[in-house]
Amino acid sequence: MKMNKLTTWIGVALVLGIVVGYACHELVPEAAAAKELAGYFGILTDIFLRLIKMIIAPLIFATLVAGLANMGDAKAVGRIGGRALGWFICASFCSLFIGLLFANVLHPGHGLNVPLPDSAAGLNLKTAALNLKDFITHVFPKSVIEAMAGNEVLQILIFAVFFGVALGHLHNQTARSLVNTMDEVVHVMLKVTDYVMRFAPFGVFGAVAAAITINGLGMLLVFGKFMLSFYVALAALWGVLILAGFAVLGKDVFRLLKLVRGPLLVGFSTASSESVYPKLMEQLEKFGIKNRVTGFVLPLGYSFNLDGSMMYTTFLALFIAQAYDIPMSITAQITMLLVLMVSSKGIAGVPRASLVVVAAVLPMFNLPEAGLLLVLGIDHFLDMGRTVTNVLGNSIATAVVAKWEGAIDPVPADQADAEESLPVVDETYPEAA
């Protein structure tokens, strides 16, 4: 299925999910019954996400090992990693600052006439998971099998780096045969991705229908100002990211945006970054980025470059302060920005990561954690915006690092016109220059 046709079907599924979800919400007013009905819609989404998770570990491992083995230079790995992390830190700071700025300008929490709970009971957020020491040790796998079983992206990346660099330093026939095997595994996984993505419209329909069935469209109206303000801030962040990409990539950044529009729509509809990882890797390859860069920078970005989630943390923290009418000085806000800058780097793989970060930081500034309960009902719709921004940020970051590395192959004009078709399975896997 070509990506443009898939995008159309996903759009249809998104609209259909809203219509069906609204009808179910109106026909089944009891909360318990609506939640049970939403669970049946959720089956479609769960199946799709399980199929995606099935792909991620072998795709990351095979792509990264093949790329690093063909690269054969440990210094290049360090250089690419250093450039990627430098971009991630700058993007994270900009994201946090934009969230802070727009929360102060738009005041989304002022005048919110919603009774605030006295406790944070029922949040069920594991803030204990936000621990720098535990995060650092957790990055290093004690078993690669366990890491792959749990789709621990950073742990897979660590093992793949060691394995790929070691394989690149072996020059016997057996080692080269193993490298060629890894190349072929990548092609097989891309074909598997093609099959799995055919289920995307069903997953999108299930996710949207389930959310609307439980919350209805009325919830969007109650928190309309907050959601509108948040999406305005996201639009500003998009502008900054695209402008930064244009500064490095030039007009090619618009070709990149055209290529990744399908993954962006899937990410927006499912509110899951994992759901777009395989297809995003495919589209970046069609942009011309060598797999040795994509396979290294993209998994790293999924852990350290969550631009939309980062912006949301400062935006939500100030929203809660405004909702409770608790003033925060500029000094306190800047301090909070710096705290979030550090603490948010340990959230990879934590469920509802943005909320976990905010819940951990709020007590430091005498802000009530119970304020998070205000947005839990609409968090899915906010997560849709966060996810699509995370995907965009990682797409641009990978392309920028590849440009700095001189690892973008020119795309012929005839291929550029057909850039949304799926890649041919038996094409030669691009090796390092």
Side-chain angles (χ1 to χ4, degrees), residues 179-198:
V179 173
N180 293 334
T181 300
M182 286 295 175
D183 290 343
E184 292 306 315
V185 169
V186 173
H187 295 309
V188 172
M189 293 312 302
L190 290 178
K191 190 61 180 176
V192 173
T193 298
D194 177 20
Y195 297 146
V196 169
M197 287 305 296
R198 296 168 191 262

Side-chain angles (χ1 to χ4, degrees), residues 69 163 167-168 170-182:
F163 192 94
L167 188 59
L170 299 176
H171 303 292
N172 55 58
Q173 185 60 41
T174 304
R176 292 313 304 171
S177 297
L178 186 55
V179 173
N180 293 334
T181 300
M182 286 295 175

Side-chain angles (χ1 to χ4, degrees), residues 11 62 113 202 285 326:
N113 297 318
F202 299 99
E285 180 182 346
I326 300 174

